[in-house]
C-alpha cells in the first residue's frame, strides 16, 4: 500500500465540502450516502448521533503524518459523530481513548488502518473500506456495473477486494498489475481477465478503477473514461484529465468515511421494526 505523506494530507480538512459536492455531482450520492451504500445499508438504518470517536496517532514505522489524525477526526465529524484526537500517541493514546469512553477508535500504522468498535471488538479495515467506497462510487457514476467492462489497475489489497466486489455485481473485469504473479493469483482466485499491456487496456476501457501507485499516461486514456481512483500519488496528467469524463479521487476521505460508518454499524444499526 502506498503511504500518505504530509503534503498529500495537508489540504484534506479544507476540501471535505468540495469532496462531498464532487461525489454528489459525479455519483449522485453525498459522502454519507456513499458510505452507507458501500456497506449495504441506508442512512435511515443507522443512528450516528452521540457516537464518540477517538483517533489515536501512532508513531511506529515512518511515524506520525502531520494532520492525518485531525483529518480523520474531521471526516468523522462531517458524518454527524463526535470525534477527538488523543493527546498522547500509541498505547498511552489508546488508553486515553478507552478511558474517555470512545465507542470507536481509529488507529493507523504503516501497514494497517483500522476503526475498532469498543462495544464488541468488531473492526473495519481501510483496505476493504477504500475498495467498497470506490466501487460504489464507480457504480453510481456508471449507472450500475452489471454486464459492463471494467479495468482494474493494481492487484494489491484494494484492487483485489474491488475485483471480488465488482465480480459479484456482474462486471466484466480485466486486471492489470506490473507484477505478473499478483495478476495471475487474482485471476485464479476471482476469475477475472488479465492484461499484460496497461496502455492497450486503458485505450479499450471506459470504466477504470485505479488502485495502483503508477502514473496514468493520458495518451492512452479513452475519450469519455470514468476513473474511480483511490490510487496515490495522484496519477493523472493534463491530457488524461482532458479526455476523462470523470475522475473520482481523494487521498483519504472516502475510505475513512466507509470505515466510520461500517464500524458504527457494528453497534448502531436501528432494529428494523
Ligand atoms: C490510510 C492511508 C491510505 C493509503 N495509505 C494509508 C497510509 O498512508 N497509511 C499510513 C498511515 C500512518 C499514520 C501515522 C499517524 O499519523 O498516526 N501512523
Amino acid at each position: 500500500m502506498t503511504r500518505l505523506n504530509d503534503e498529500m494530507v495537508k489540504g484534506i480538512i479544507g476540501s471535505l465540502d468540495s469532496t462531498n459536492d464532487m461525489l454528489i455531482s459525479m455519483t449522485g450520492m453525498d459522502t454519507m450516502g456513499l458510505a452507507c451504500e458501500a456497506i449495504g445499508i441506508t442512512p435511515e438504518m443507522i443512528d450516528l448521533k452521540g457516537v464518540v470517536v477517538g483517533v489515536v496517532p501512532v508513531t511506529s514505522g515512518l511515524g506520525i503524518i502531520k494532520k492525518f489524525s485531525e483529518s480523520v477526526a474531521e471526516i468523522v465529524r462531517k458524518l454527524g459523530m463526535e470525534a477527538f484526537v488523543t493527546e498522547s500517541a500509541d498505547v498511552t493514546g489508546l488508553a486515553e481513548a478507552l478511558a474517555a469512553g470512545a465507542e470507536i477508535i481509529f488507529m493507523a500504522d504503516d501497514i494497517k488502518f483500522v476503526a475498532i468498535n469498543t462495544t464488541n471488538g468488531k473492526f473495519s479495515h481501510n483496505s476493504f473500506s477504500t475498495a467498497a467506497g470506490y466501487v460504489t462510487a464507480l457504480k453510481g457514476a456508471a449507472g450500475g456495473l452489471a454486464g459492463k467492462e471494467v479495468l482494474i489497475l493494481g492487484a494489491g489489497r484494494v484492487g483485489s477486494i474491488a475485483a471480488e466486489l465488482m465480480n459479484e455485481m456482474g462486471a466484466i473485469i480485466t486486471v492489470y498489475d506490473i507484477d505478473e504473479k499478483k495478476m495471475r493469483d487474482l485471476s485464479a482466485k476471482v476469475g477475472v481477465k488479465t492484461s499484460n499491456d496497461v496502455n492497450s487496456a486503458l485505450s479499450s476501457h471506459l470504466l477504470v478503477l485505479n488502485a495502483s501507485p503508477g502514473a496514468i499516461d493520458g495518451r492512452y486514456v479513452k475519450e469519455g473514461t470514468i476513473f474511480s481512483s483511490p490510487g496515490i500519488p495522484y496519477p493523472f496528467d493534463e491530457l488524461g484529465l482532458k479526455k476523462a469524463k470523470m475522475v473520482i479521487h481523494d487521498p483519504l476521505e472516502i475510505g475513512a468515511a466507509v470505515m466510520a460508518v461500517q464500524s458504527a454499524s457494528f453497534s448502531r444499526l436501528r432494529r428494523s421494526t
Side-chain angles (χ1 to χ4, degrees), residues 148-202:
K148 293 191 184 159
E149 301 256 352
V150 180
L151 171 63
I152 298 178
L153 300 179
R157 278 184 291 182
V158 172
S160 303
I161 298 169
E164 288 179 43
L165 294 174
M166 292 195 285
N167 200 38
E168 280 159 28
M169 295 174 181
I172 301 159
I173 301 165
T174 300
V175 179
Y176 170 80
D177 192 297
I178 199 159
D179 177 332
E180 286 260 326
K181 181 172 177 336
K182 262 190 194 174
M183 212 162 50
R184 265 203 317 278
D185 291 352
L186 182 56
S187 173
K189 186 172 171 223
V190 181
V192 293
K193 291 182 279 182
T194 60
S195 160
N196 50 21
D197 177 348
V198 63
N199 292 327
S200 77
L202 263 177

Side-chain angles (χ1 to χ4, degrees), residues 1-4 56-58 63-65 68-69 108-110 113 126 232 251-252:
M1 163 187 65
T2 316
R3 192 177 188 274
L4 290 168
V56 183
V58 173
I64 285 177
I65 299 175
F68 175 84
S69 294
D109 61 17
D110 291 349
F113 177 26
N126 182 255
I232 46 173
L252 179 63

